[in-house]
Amino acid sequence: MTERKNFDSEFCGRVPLQHINLIQSYGYLLVVDRDDTIIQASENCAELLGKKINEIVNTKLAQYIAGQSAVELQAVAGKGITDRVPFNLRLQNGAQVQALLHFKKDYLILEAELTSKEEERYFTSVFQDIKHSIAAIEQAATVQEVCEVAISELKKISGFDGVLMYQFDKDWNGTVIAEIKDKRLDPYMGQTFPASDIPRQARELYLKNPYRLIPNREYTPVRLFPVINPVTNSFIDLSDCNLRSVPAVHLEYMGNMGIKASMSIRVIRNGQLWGLISCHNIEAVDLSLETCSIFELLSSVISNKISSILNKHDFDYASSLQGKKNLLIEQVYAKEDMVQGVIEAAGENLMTVFDAGGAAVMFNGQLETIGKTPEADSIENILLWLEGKKIDRIFSSNCLSGIYEEAAAYADVGSGLLAIPIDAAKGEYMLCFRPEVIETINWGGDPNNAITFEPDGKNYHPRNSFKLWQQQVKNNSKPWHSEELTVAESLRSFLFEFKTRQMFN
């Protein structure tokens, strides 16, 4: 297999995970309207509150909560907070619960888990865990160090058998870049998992919920009663609820991995999902909401640290590129010649500025090249192709043969192309070429078999093997960095102005 394929499944991406209308059985869920009336409840609330489920719905929440807890809950509700709010509640029957409150426009969602005094920890104990972990993460100097420290700290806090970090690429495939695990679990370090393993709508949910916990994949889903939310007249949106049930295909996926419990923690950069920390356990786990809250906090710390390192790297790289571009412009002015100024071998040139293997300039009907480029007739065909497509802005591709078949013949020098128009209407361009970089991708199982359908075309299953499956990708170059494209656009503007001035001088 020599071509890079997009494995982001359209089918999986359409499954409405947030409207599944089922919860996992390790907790309880109540939906309460603005008048404090319970309008929906998970059916296991009958066990928690000691009444039949149909007798709970349409009653007041306050009647189930002990006095002071009820007052405190009303105080929190009155603050107008819309984010997830953790809360400790004592029920009238003496039960202690840890709760998460979700304040929606027309109702409140209350997620609850039973707890006890014996399970509660003093703040100082929790603070020491967090303080040590944060300090270790903040001291890391590189993204790789952050990832390795983060998974080590999370493993110590949670006790999971294995923790790994994987980073998403531009096609949403995830590659494992750090791992620490029990020898009983298969190693995945360096392996890439196709985008269909975490489809689009699942990734979107991580923007609303910092973690996803499945303490026991063998749970029996619990339904909500009534099925339809009376306020919205539809299935309730459980996007940011921890208890939201999981599609059967994912539980099967966990079984194929040989684990009963998992937890995923998001890593965010610039408002987008950068990666995930995935925790695996061979047996079921029992994590308190307190421990999950530590994970939620550390998710932010890890995200901020990685973002800080990467943003500094981007800033430094952008500054370096701007400096090189400015020297290139100085050369153009010094020589009073656009072409000679940008291909000057002794100083800065198009190759050095844009990290290219070769460059070409077509101006005033003359073609000039530097470095390793396709043959002159091939370059002229590229120029005709660009002109035919009316490309008058910056154009880039790191797989030129994927959109221009002729490029396959010179992939060794021209798998990547950056085109900077001087005057597109006249076919005048500056071109930068990047050579082919043959890449071997170590997939965690054959990505072509990530999803298999039964004969009925409706039921489907995940792959049952994560054995190493290698793919060699050809005809691709190193991708063009966004900062390079920004500098290229700036250079294009200068070239246009320089040419215009020369025409009127």
Side-chain angles (χ1 to χ4, degrees), residues 101-141:
L101 310 178
H102 307 262
F103 295 94
K104 308 299 180 181
K105 179 182 178 182
D106 298 312
Y107 53 81
L108 161 73
I109 297 178
L110 188 153
E111 296 184 84
E113 298 175 37
L114 281 173
T115 185
S116 66
K117 286 293 183 182
E118 290 71 25
E119 292 175 337
E120 294 179 3
R121 298 167 65 194
Y122 290 107
F123 171 78
T124 52
S125 174
V126 178
F127 179 70
Q128 287 304 319
D129 282 347
I130 299 173
K131 184 178 179 181
H132 179 275
S133 297
I134 292 176
I137 293 166
E138 289 294 342
Q139 286 177 6

Side-chain angles (χ1 to χ4, degrees), residues 68-352:
Q68 189 57 34
S69 289
V71 173
E72 293 171 357
L73 179 59
Q74 287 296 323
V76 171
K79 292 181 179 179
I81 300 173
T82 57
D83 207 350
R84 296 146 45 101
V85 180
F87 202 82
N88 289 318
L89 286 174
R90 185 168 62 85
L91 303 183
Q92 290 285 8
N93 60 16
Q96 298 281 341
V97 299
Q98 291 181 321
L100 270 182
L101 310 178
H102 307 262
F103 295 94
K104 308 299 180 181
K105 179 182 178 182
D106 298 312
Y107 53 81
L108 161 73
I109 297 178
L110 188 153
E111 296 184 84
E113 298 175 37
L114 281 173
T115 185
S116 66
K117 286 293 183 182
E118 290 71 25
E119 292 175 337
E120 294 179 3
R121 298 167 65 194
Y122 290 107
F123 171 78
T124 52
S125 174
V126 178
F127 179 70
Q128 287 304 319
D129 282 347
I130 299 173
K131 184 178 179 181
H132 179 275
S133 297
I134 292 176
I137 293 166
E138 289 294 342
Q139 286 177 6
T142 66
V143 169
Q144 187 62 38
E145 286 181 28
V146 173
C147 295
E148 291 173 358
V149 169
I151 63 172
S152 177
E153 291 300 312
L154 290 172
K155 189 175 189 304
K156 283 191 292 186
I157 292 171
S158 66
F160 275 102
D161 294 325
V163 182
L164 58 86
M165 166 87 80
Y166 58 94
Q167 178 185 352
F168 292 113
D169 64 17
K170 65 180 180 63
D171 296 319
W172 295 108
N173 304 307
T175 299
V176 179
I177 58 176
E179 180 180 65
I180 180 170
K181 58 174 49 175
D182 189 300
K183 291 182 179 180
R184 294 173 296 170
L185 291 170
D186 292 334
Y188 299 127
M189 184 64 186
Q191 293 188 16
T192 300
F193 291 79
S196 55
D197 284 6
I198 306 176
R200 174 182 50 79
Q201 88 285 28
R203 297 191 300 266
E204 290 174 353
L205 290 176
Y206 280 107
L207 298 179
K208 299 179 179 180
N209 202 346
Y211 65 87
R212 188 80 177 101
L213 173 64
I214 305 171
N216 187 352
R217 67 175 175 83
E218 296 178 346
Y219 72 92
T220 300
V222 180
R223 295 178 299 181
L224 299 187
F225 178 87
V227 172
I228 300 299
N229 182 286
V231 174
T232 63
N233 292 315
S234 64
F235 281 4
I236 192 168
D237 186 344
L238 299 177
S239 295
D240 52 359
C241 292
N242 296 338
L243 291 173
R244 176 174 49 82
S245 193
V246 184
V249 67
H250 183 70
L251 300 177
E252 186 178 350
Y253 181 95
M254 290 175 61
N256 293 344
M257 271 193 164
I259 58 174
K260 279 190 178 180
S262 72
M263 186 176 191
S264 299
I265 302 101
R266 72 185 182 189
V267 180
I268 301 289
R269 185 192 178 209
N270 298 334
Q272 299 294 318
L273 195 60
W274 180 87
L276 283 177
I277 300 173
S278 188
C279 307
H280 297 162
N281 213 69
I282 295 171
E283 299 298 333
V285 300
D286 183 15
L287 286 187
S288 67
L289 185 57
E290 175 193 88
T291 301
C292 291
S293 297
I294 294 176
F295 274 45
E296 182 172 348
L297 174 60
L298 292 180
S299 166
S300 296
V301 174
I302 295 164
S303 296
N304 291 338
K305 183 62 177 179
I306 288 177
S307 296
S308 174
I309 293 172
L310 292 177
N311 289 344
K312 183 180 184 304
H313 176 271
D314 287 351
F315 176 81
D316 291 345
Y317 186 55
S319 298
S320 173
L321 279 176
Q322 288 290 347
K324 290 181 178 181
K325 183 207 71 174
N326 291 339
L327 289 175
L328 197 66
I329 290 174
E330 289 176 10
Q331 287 176 183
V332 172
Y333 279 128
K335 292 179 178 294
E336 296 184 354
D337 186 298
M338 181 191 299
V339 177
Q340 291 304 312
V342 298
I343 65 170
E344 173 61 54
E348 291 293 347
N349 56 54
L350 288 175
M351 287 172 52
T352 58

Side-chain angles (χ1 to χ4, degrees), residues 4 14 32 63 85 142 155 173 227-228 234 278 285 309 341 386 395 412 427 464 474 486 493 498:
R4 187 179 293 275
R14 293 194 302 268
V32 184
Q63 75 181 67
V85 180
T142 66
K155 189 175 189 304
N173 304 307
V227 172
I228 300 299
S234 64
S278 188
V285 300
I309 293 172
L386 291 170
F395 169 85
D412 57 332
N464 54 24
K474 298 182 178 181
T486 299
S493 297
F498 185 84

Side-chain angles (χ1 to χ4, degrees), residues 322-392:
Q322 288 290 347
K324 290 181 178 181
K325 183 207 71 174
N326 291 339
L327 289 175
L328 197 66
I329 290 174
E330 289 176 10
Q331 287 176 183
V332 172
Y333 279 128
K335 292 179 178 294
E336 296 184 354
D337 186 298
M338 181 191 299
V339 177
Q340 291 304 312
V342 298
I343 65 170
E344 173 61 54
E348 291 293 347
N349 56 54
L350 288 175
M351 287 172 52
T352 58
V353 173
F354 295 107
D355 190 22
V361 180
M362 173 61 81
F363 186 66
N364 286 338
Q366 297 294 315
L367 178 66
E368 298 283 348
T369 65
I370 184 174
K372 296 180 179 180
T373 68
E375 297 294 330
D377 58 344
S378 295
I379 293 177
E380 290 174 0
N381 286 337
I382 293 173
L383 292 167
L384 289 172
W385 178 72
L386 291 170
E387 189 178 356
K389 287 188 169 294
K390 298 181 179 180
I391 292 175
D392 58 0

